[in-house]
Every structure is written in C-alpha cells, then in structure tokens.
Amino acid sequence: MKFFPTLILSLIFSLTAWASQPSIYGKNGVVVAHDLEACQAGIEILKNGGNAVDAAVAVSYALTVTHPQAGNLGGGGFMLIHLADGQKVAIDYREMAPGEAHRDMFLDDSGRVVDQLSVRGGLAVGVPGTVAGMQLALDKYGSMSRKKVMKPAIKLARQGFQISYDLAYSFGWLNKAAEGFNETRRVFCRNGEIYMPGETFKQPDLAKTLKLIQKKGNAGFYEGAVATALVKSSSSYGGMITLADLQNYKPQIRKPVTGNYRGFEVSSMPPPSSGGITLISMLNMLEPMVFDSVGWHSAQHIQILAEVEKRAYADRSVWLGDPDYFSVPQEKLLSKEYARLRMTDYDSLSVTPSDSIYPLNDRDLAGIHLNGHESEETTHFSVIDQWGNAVSVTTTLNWSFGSYVTVEGFGFLLNNEMDDFSAKPGEPNSFGLIGNEANAIEPNKRMLSSMTPTIVSRDGKVVLVLGAPGGSTIITTVLQVINNMIDFGMPVHDAVNVPRFHHQWQPDVIYYGPGAISPDTAVLLKSMGYELTPRYGYGEVNAISRDKIFGGWIGAPDLKTASHGAAY
Ligand code: DON
C-alpha cells in the first residue's frame, strides 16, 4: 500500500508532463506582487517568523519604493485578512474627501464637469490612508515591530534598486505627462535626463520619510514636517487638504462581504468598495448556469458573463457608496433570490441592451452613453504564511503616479482618488463609471472603489487569494479568474494568465484583450448584436492558490505585466 501514493503521483506526472506548470511553489509561505524586491521583502519577514500581516505591511512599504506608479504613502487601499483560525476581517484605509470638499467642487459656473480638475493637481487629492492603515493592521493582527517590517523598504530607498524596463518606461512617460510638476520630474525623471532600465534608482527623500514613519508611526506622517509639507505641496497646486484633515484621518475595520459559489466561500471587500458586493452578486447570477458543455471563451460563455456583468454594474451605479454616508442595500444585493430575479430577462439567444437594464428601482439613468478610458496603475499583492494566514491587498494612487503632485523634499506622490467620486450624478468618471447620490462628494466621505481583494475558502480553509488593479475592470477580472478555476478547472497560473474581456453596463460594449475573443467568435457575437472593442489593460492579477498535489502553495503572478512572486 505504501507504493500507492507514489503510483498516483507518477500517474499525475505522466498525464501532465506537458501541462502548464507553475514557476512559484512554497511549502511555507508565498508572496506575489508587482516587483521581485517587494516579494523578497515579504519573504524575509515570513522567514524571520513574521505572519502574513507583518509581511503584507513590509510588501506595501517596499512597493512604495519600487512601484511609485501605485505603491504609496500618499494613497490608500484595502486589506482583506483570513486568519488561520477562520477569523475574517477587512481593513479600509481608503482616502477621504477633505473637510472643505463639496459636491460641486469639480463643476464650472454652468454646472459642467471641468476637465482634468478631479484628476491632476491638488484638488484631485484625497486625504491619504495608507500609513494609518498599515499601523492598524500591524497593531491588531501583526506580530512584529514597525521597526522590523519597515526595514526592507528603507534599505531599498536608501541603497536603491535596479530599474526594470517597466519602471523606466513609466518614468519616461511621466517626464512628458507631468509638465509643470517640477518636484515630480526632479524625483522620478532626473529633470528630464531619463532613467534607463538597469540603472540604480536611489530615493534619499523617501528614505527620510520612511524613517520618520518607522520612528514615530502615524505621527511621523500625519503630523510634523511631513504633514506640513504635504499640505503645502497640495495647496501649491490648488488643493484644499488641511493639517486637521490629516490628523482626523481614521482607517476602519469592516466586516468582509461573503457569498457562496458552488460550495466555495468567497470573502471580499465591503463598501466603500463596490468590489465585493458586485463580485458576489455576479457569482450568484452565474451559479444556476451549467458550464459543462460551454466552451471557454465561446460566444455562449462570453454572453453569459457579459449579461451578468451588465446587470451588476447597473446596480453598482446607484446603490453603492460610503456606508457611513449612504445606506447600501447590502443584504438584498447579496441575496441569491435577488440574483435569480435579476436574471429572469436573460435570454441565451439574444442580447439584453444596456439601455433596457435599469438599476434596481431606478429608471432615470437609461440612455446615457459614455466614453470610458483607462489608466493602468493600482497594485494588488497576495501573501500566505506558514500557519495558513492569508492577506489580500489592493492599494493605489488611482491613476499612474496619482495627481502628479510630489510632496516637496519627502519623495512621495499624492493620489488623485477624488476622481472616484461622482463629480455630477449620472456623469461618468475617468473609468466611464457612472455614479449617483450614493457616491456624491461630501466632506470626510470615502469615494467608491472597485478594488476587490478577495479570498476564497473551502470548509474554512483558504484555497485562493487574489485581486487586481484595472479600475472598473478589477471586478470582472476577479470574476473571470474564479470562473476559470471553478467552472473550467484551470490551474491558478493559467486562470490568471489567459486573456480577459469586460462589460460594465455603460457603455454597452464588450471590451476584450489580445486573444480573448477569436475572430469566429467575434462574428457570432456581433451577429447577436454585441458591440466589441479591442483594448489593452486587464489588470495584473497576483494570486496564490493551495496546491492539491504536494500541499503548500502556488504563486501565480500575472506574466502579461511582468509581475513577480517569491516563496520558501
Ligand atoms: O479605487 C478604485 O476603484 C480606483 N481608484 C482604482 C484605480 C485603478 O485600478 C487604476 N488602474 N489600474
């Protein structure tokens, strides 16, 4: 009998000799994140006895250094934690509107949205939450000192690291785009003398800021020299953040939203993210569908997902916002019965036009047509430790390099998250997403997000940790990875790396990445009445999945965007 497991293994090996194989496997711990240095920072903490939360804080600070497009001190994010004892918790360190913000702040005298005002410069900046969020995570769920977990980031900022192709490319692009933002061009673009891939990038100003935070905690950022400089830099570009706003910033501990999909438990981010509710509502709509005879990315598959996505995004436009300011009908949106009712007009042979899909109880939004566009920088990372604690983090400045305002002398960028509010009810934001009263600007309110850090478990045990950047496409990206794995039996590294598509209700278009829809399938979909638009940029999923063969964990970075993982 003792040969039996060996036999099974050799059978598995012979059957899968040419199957795709993962490149990252760890028995004890895995970190998957945009940059290798950030993954290594996390693994160093895990190897030294830290837990997944300690490692996540280390990775977040390291990404501030290595991935300034999205890793941040001047932004915010969400951390979803699933502890080995089954406890689940969400930490919300989303930015808040400044105390002087008001609902019409991005409108001109005739009530029109002023182009770019919510996107670049000081008014675009929400009060940053990352430093306070990391502190809360560490205090409540970590086991190491701030001194230890911040050490790798400080070393990276001081000693520098090798600039990747991806970073050099982004810096080159920033050099042109950030004209007039002199401090940004000084710090990240050497005043126009562009960095080449392979050069060493040192950030002494950022090292000083990190050191201050390491020493003083929240007071090192929300008070004192950093706070004063932050207010000054924001206001020199027309911003309204005050010292009081910084001192009042509070991260929140929230209860994750949970759902069930074919026996798997899915936990994700509650409002002020729209991610968790929209994801679970889409999974609920998908559950009655039988995928056994549906070909992957066939017209039938794409139609099912597109129709589900349209309905969930229509509801998102009206019913989701900061729960401290707006009563979100969470229970209803998450119920299987509501999902069933939502799909009663689904017809597998025809398109339901978006103009005939109304948000729940609201018919006023029909007929709005949008031109969405996309920036590509938020970042997601996943961590698992030797005890089975899992952490899923999505963090951002919103667009790549945020508002372009760098805090003078302190080496970090400020976000442009104010654009995630609905500047005017019914008008699209820069992701083409429509918002309404639920997401109108109010002082100290959190802007609605699509970030969807998610953890899937079975019988209380974590099986998958995932999330992605990509603005409005984040939620459908996470949905597709789960659909690929659970309904199409893909291993995690395939589920993450195959191409993706996206529908967000308005505009009434299926966007698709390279290779996501074959020419024959496109003909079929068009003959049904779907409009198809090719598009790059479908997030960077950084996932970890439990390994069924050896136990332990498989790391699955998104190779389309040269992401990384490390394990031990
Ligand atoms: O919170 C949100 O939904 C957006 N600020 C995320 C922005 C984003 O993902 C940008 N690009 N990848």
Side-chain angles (χ1 to χ4, degrees):
M1 273 313 273
K2 72 178 180 187
F3 294 111
F4 188 63
T6 322
L7 179 67
I8 296 264
L9 278 180
S10 56
L11 260 179
I12 290 169
F13 286 135
S14 66
L15 289 172
T16 59
W18 296 104
S20 80
Q21 301 293 356
S23 55
I24 295 150
Y25 168 78
K27 185 87 191 137
N28 302 299
V30 178
V31 179
V32 182
H34 185 77
D35 294 306
L36 185 58
E37 296 85 352
C39 295
Q40 286 164 340
I43 291 291
E44 185 184 321
I45 296 295
L46 292 180
K47 279 187 176 167
N48 286 330
N51 67 22
V53 175
D54 299 317
V57 174
V59 174
S60 180
Y61 278 119
L63 285 168
T64 301
V65 181
T66 59
H67 191 42
Q69 301 98 312
N72 66 80
L73 297 179
F78 301 126
M79 179 183 287
L80 189 76
I81 305 172
H82 184 144
L83 296 173
D85 67 4
Q87 209 189 136
K88 291 174 204 158
V89 66
I91 298 183
D92 161 6
Y93 52 100
R94 182 70 162 166
E95 298 91 330
M96 291 165 74
E100 285 170 25
H102 53 94
R103 61 181 288 143
D104 295 338
M105 63 188 274
F106 297 120
L107 304 185
D108 65 14
D109 291 345
S110 47
R112 277 190 298 258
V113 178
V114 181
D115 191 35
Q116 296 295 302
L117 202 57
S118 62
V119 176
R120 302 297 184 211
L123 277 186
V125 184
V127 183
T130 297
V131 172
M134 292 306 101
Q135 189 59 52
L136 180 64
L138 206 56
D139 288 346
K140 286 255 175 198
Y141 303 100
S143 67
M144 278 185 166
S145 66
R146 190 172 58 236
K147 185 160 191 243
K148 271 196 184 148
V149 296
M150 290 191 70
K151 217 166 148 188
I154 293 172
K155 189 169 162 200
L156 280 166
R158 269 206 190 128
Q159 298 184 357
F161 62 96
Q162 248 193 17
I163 294 185
S164 63
Y165 187 96
D166 156 54
L167 187 57
Y169 180 90
S170 296
F171 281 162
W173 164 84
L174 181 69
N175 182 50
K176 287 202 176 131
E179 214 185 297
F181 293 87
N182 297 339
E183 181 70 353
T184 297
R185 288 187 68 253
R186 178 183 78 79
V187 173
F188 300 105
C189 315
R190 215 163 33 188
N191 288 319
E193 201 195 314
I194 301 296
Y195 286 105
M196 293 292 288
E199 279 193 72
T200 299
F201 183 48
K202 295 184 183 174
Q203 300 174 79
D205 290 355
L206 181 58
K208 177 177 74 184
T209 311
L210 289 168
K211 197 80 202 150
L212 271 168
I213 298 168
Q214 187 192 42
K215 195 163 160 214
K216 300 185 176 173
N218 286 343
F221 183 84
Y222 293 96
E223 296 169 28
V226 176
T228 308
L230 191 159
V231 169
K232 193 162 162 236
S233 297
S234 142
S235 74
S236 70
Y237 285 96
M240 50 167 65
I241 290 183
T242 61
L243 284 174
D245 287 330
L246 291 171
Q247 275 166 20
N248 290 340
Y249 182 82
K250 290 231 165 6
Q252 304 277 0
I253 293 192
R254 301 196 189 269
K255 190 169 176 266
V257 291
T258 52
N260 220 285
Y261 187 63
R262 305 192 200 283
F264 290 87
E265 190 170 48
V266 179
S267 308
S268 192
M269 196 63 208
S273 179
S274 63
I277 289 184
T278 308
L279 173 70
I280 290 167
S281 145
M282 291 191 292
L283 288 169
N284 286 344
M285 288 186 235
L286 279 187
E287 201 173 43
M289 308 281 174
V290 180
F291 284 99
D292 295 355
S293 58
V294 175
W296 183 79
H297 281 210
S298 61
Q300 198 186 358
H301 181 206
I302 292 168
Q303 188 205 11
I304 294 171
L305 258 63
E307 293 299 327
V308 159
E309 290 168 2
K310 280 190 228 176
R311 287 159 175 80
Y313 274 71
D315 287 344
R316 179 197 188 279
S317 73
V318 171
W319 294 107
L320 293 171
D322 183 346
D324 298 337
Y325 286 71
F326 180 86
S327 162
V328 175
Q330 185 163 316
E331 218 173 292
K332 171 147 196 142
L333 294 172
L334 288 173
S335 83
K336 299 245 186 224
E337 174 58 8
Y338 174 66
R340 193 187 62 75
L341 290 173
R342 205 63 175 103
M343 288 298 276
T344 45
D345 60 349
Y346 168 74
D347 175 356
S348 67
L349 298 175
S350 69
V351 180
T352 316
S354 286
D355 287 353
S356 69
I357 295 177
Y358 303 104
L360 178 65
N361 290 340
D362 190 319
R363 302 195 156 241
D364 300 336
L365 289 174
I368 298 165
H369 195 80
L370 313 168
N371 295 309
H373 56 99
E374 179 74 57
S375 73
E376 272 321 304
E377 295 300 343
T378 285
T379 195
H380 179 85
F381 61 91
S382 300
V383 183
I384 194 100
D385 68 20
Q386 58 178 310
W387 299 282
N389 301 304
V391 178
S392 185
V393 175
T394 316
T395 181
T396 191
L397 291 164
N398 193 22
W399 284 30
S400 197
F401 301 108
S403 61
Y404 292 170
V405 178
T406 295
V407 175
E408 197 153 345
F410 290 92
F412 68 94
L413 283 148
L414 296 175
N415 67 84
N416 61 351
E417 219 74 60
M418 289 297 285
D419 187 65
D420 275 349
F421 275 119
S422 166
K424 187 177 177 183
E427 292 261 332
N429 73 355
S430 60
F431 297 108
L433 288 168
I434 296 179
N436 251 289
E437 289 307 318
N439 191 30
I441 305 171
E442 291 180 61
N444 307 317
K445 184 176 174 181
R446 285 155 147 90
M447 53 297 280
L448 186 63
S449 173
S450 298
M451 293 189 287
T452 314
T454 298
I455 298 176
V456 181
S457 53
R458 188 159 213 178
D459 303 327
K461 293 260 180 299
V462 171
V463 294
L464 176 66
V465 187
L466 80 167
S472 57
T473 66
I474 293 173
I475 320 171
T476 60
T477 289
V478 172
L479 176 76
Q480 283 171 88
V481 175
I482 294 176
N483 180 233
N484 289 341
M485 290 182 74
I486 296 182
D487 295 313
F488 291 92
M490 284 186 200
V492 66
H493 44 285
D494 284 345
V496 162
N497 282 294
V498 290
R500 291 186 272 273
F501 58 91
H502 170 75
H503 202 307
Q504 59 180 52
W505 175 56
Q506 299 285 6
D508 195 352
V509 165
I510 299 176
Y511 296 105
Y512 64 100
I517 302 185
S518 76
D520 317 25
T521 303
V523 169
L524 277 174
L525 287 166
K526 281 181 192 162
S527 73
M528 291 175 81
Y530 286 104
E531 196 181 321
L532 307 181
T533 302
R535 204 187 93 162
Y536 275 90
Y538 288 85
E540 172 184 279
V541 181
N542 286 323
I544 299 172
S545 153
R546 186 180 286 276
D547 180 38
K548 284 190 211 147
I549 298 182
F550 300 105
W553 302 93
I554 291 172
D558 210 320
L559 303 175
K560 296 189 283 299
T561 46
S563 201
H564 293 87
Y568 80 109

